[in-house]
Amino acid sequence: MALLSSECPDLKLIARGKVRDLYEVDEKSLLFVATDRISAFDVIMTNPIPGKGKVLTEVSLFWFDLLKDVLPNHLITADFDKMPAHIQKYRDQLEGRSILVKKMRVLPIEAIVRGYITGSGWAEYKKKGTICDIELPKGLVESEKLPTVLFTPSTKAEIGDHDENIHPSKMVEILGSQELADKITNAAIALYTKASEYAAKKGIIIADTKFEFGLDENDNLVLVDEVLTPDSSRFWPASKHEAGRGQESFDKQFVRNYLESIGFDKKTSIELPADVISNTLEKYKEAYHMLTNKDIQL
């Protein structure tokens, strides 16, 4: 059963994001629900990808466990039987796509880490020889591995607006703390490095990814939101990687490519055709299988 939007009237809805619905459970915890919505170019499509939210949840849980030694995360439990009774009454909607998490002060930065030159980074480099105004060597080609891993933050936009890439120095201004900015930078690079080295052994290149961070009651940095999913990362099959062109991918590039092919205006929500939906879901499931050696039951 596809879930386009969760409806849990006994829970306090805080926000509906591009994919996740967020509920307040009590003063110390929240419920993240991964729906089957899909967005591209910051526009949410009108029809869902059935089961996508469950795949995203399982992928995040896998990475939370693998990376917990690098940085603590906000997860309390994903076991539905251990969640409060007023959540369990919505089992039919929420099971398999929900995580109970600690409430944090979420920081207003998208922490983007790039190992390869692609996407908006490639577009900027072609114009200015930079990514987020960071100077790069001349002569790089599309999809090439960068000389060093780059941390390139962006602002967090409201739904419907676009995140804005910023120079790391601007992040210091937004946060008001060089120390906190340094912690975010170091944590994001360490998380990406461990994850990308693991994925490489499984035949997947993580070209880039986006992390979000929060602070706990003691001002410790904590990893929050989704982690290294096909929605927040570019996963490429290593066996087919070839610098100098765009790459096949395990993420929603399939949707982006379709939208580009029809001259999508990047503003108006549309319905995706059945083959785009089924092919996208298969890519997500394939990525999960390659990373974990498990198949997901939807």
Side-chain angles (χ1 to χ4, degrees):
M1 182 181 74
L3 183 70
L4 187 60
S5 185
S6 63
E7 299 298 335
C8 306
D10 288 350
L11 301 177
K12 181 182 177 183
L13 179 68
I14 296 175
R16 291 196 198 276
K18 291 167 192 164
V19 174
R20 280 164 186 74
D21 294 345
L22 182 61
Y23 294 92
E24 184 175 74
V25 176
D26 55 40
E27 62 182 20
K28 292 190 174 181
S29 61
L30 303 169
L31 187 73
F32 275 52
V33 179
T35 71
D36 295 330
R37 295 192 292 270
I38 189 160
S39 69
F41 305 109
D42 294 317
V43 178
I44 300 169
M45 301 296 114
T46 59
N47 52 338
I49 295 188
K52 169 178 167 279
K54 292 184 177 182
V55 180
L56 294 183
T57 300
E58 289 298 324
V59 171
S60 280
L61 291 171
F62 168 77
W63 289 117
F64 277 140
D65 185 58
L66 187 78
L67 299 173
K68 62 180 185 276
D69 294 339
V70 178
L71 193 75
N73 60 67
H74 66 164
L75 180 66
I76 297 172
T77 187
D79 183 341
F80 210 77
D81 292 331
K82 293 181 180 176
M83 294 189 188
H86 65 301
I87 295 175
Q88 290 192 33
K89 67 190 288 186
Y90 300 111
R91 183 183 293 267
D92 287 351
Q93 285 185 68
L94 305 182
E95 189 170 21
R97 59 172 73 249
S98 305
I99 57 172
L100 189 67
V101 303
K102 299 168 194 168
K103 195 180 284 188
M104 300 283 166
R105 284 176 287 148
V106 178
L107 297 169
I109 290 292
E110 300 273 8
I112 298 167
V113 186
R114 303 172 191 265
Y116 291 73
I117 186 164
T118 186
S120 63
W122 171 239
E124 180 184 328
Y125 177 79
K126 284 191 292 182
K127 290 180 184 174
K128 300 164 53 182
T130 60
I131 296 181
C132 286
D133 295 326
I134 300 167
E135 291 280 348
L136 290 174
K138 293 178 180 175
L140 297 178
V141 298
E142 185 177 9
S143 307
E144 184 174 349
K145 188 172 184 177
L146 290 163
T148 56
V149 172
L150 275 190
F151 175 75
T152 59
S154 76
T155 59
K156 274 190 192 175
E158 296 297 319
I159 296 294
D161 293 332
H162 295 280
D163 298 336
E164 179 189 352
N165 291 339
I166 55 175
H167 188 275
S169 62
K170 184 79 184 294
M171 176 177 72
V172 180
E173 293 176 28
I174 292 170
L175 295 172
S177 166
Q178 181 70 56
E179 182 185 9
L180 181 55
D182 289 344
K183 282 182 181 177
I184 290 171
T185 302
N186 294 335
I189 291 173
L191 290 163
Y192 172 82
T193 299
K194 181 168 182 177
S196 60
E197 288 173 355
Y198 172 86
K201 294 174 185 173
K202 300 292 185 177
I204 292 177
I205 291 171
I206 302 177
D208 55 32
T209 195
K210 173 192 76 175
F211 298 111
E212 295 199 38
F213 297 100
L215 297 174
D216 67 12
E217 66 274 12
N218 298 314
D219 288 337
N220 295 312
L221 195 67
V222 178
L223 183 61
V224 304
D225 201 56
E226 64 179 326
V227 184
L228 290 150
T229 71
D231 268 15
S232 64
S233 320
R234 283 187 176 88
F235 290 170
W236 297 338
S239 62
K240 297 181 179 178
H241 175 252
E242 182 185 334
R245 59 171 175 79
Q247 306 298 302
E248 288 187 35
S249 69
F250 293 111
D251 55 37
K252 58 186 176 183
Q253 195 63 40
F254 209 101
V255 174
R256 294 189 197 102
N257 291 348
Y258 167 74
L259 294 172
E260 293 276 21
S261 76
I262 62 168
F264 180 58
D265 65 7
K266 301 185 180 179
K267 296 176 185 175
T268 310
S269 180
I270 67 165
E271 183 168 326
L272 298 172
D275 64 317
V276 173
I277 287 174
S278 61
N279 286 329
T280 300
L281 182 59
E282 286 308 309
K283 286 291 183 187
Y284 279 51
K285 289 164 66 178
E286 185 181 355
Y288 176 77
H289 176 78
M290 288 180 70
L291 288 169
T292 66
N293 295 322
K294 297 177 185 175
D295 290 317
I296 189 161
Q297 301 301 315
L298 299 178

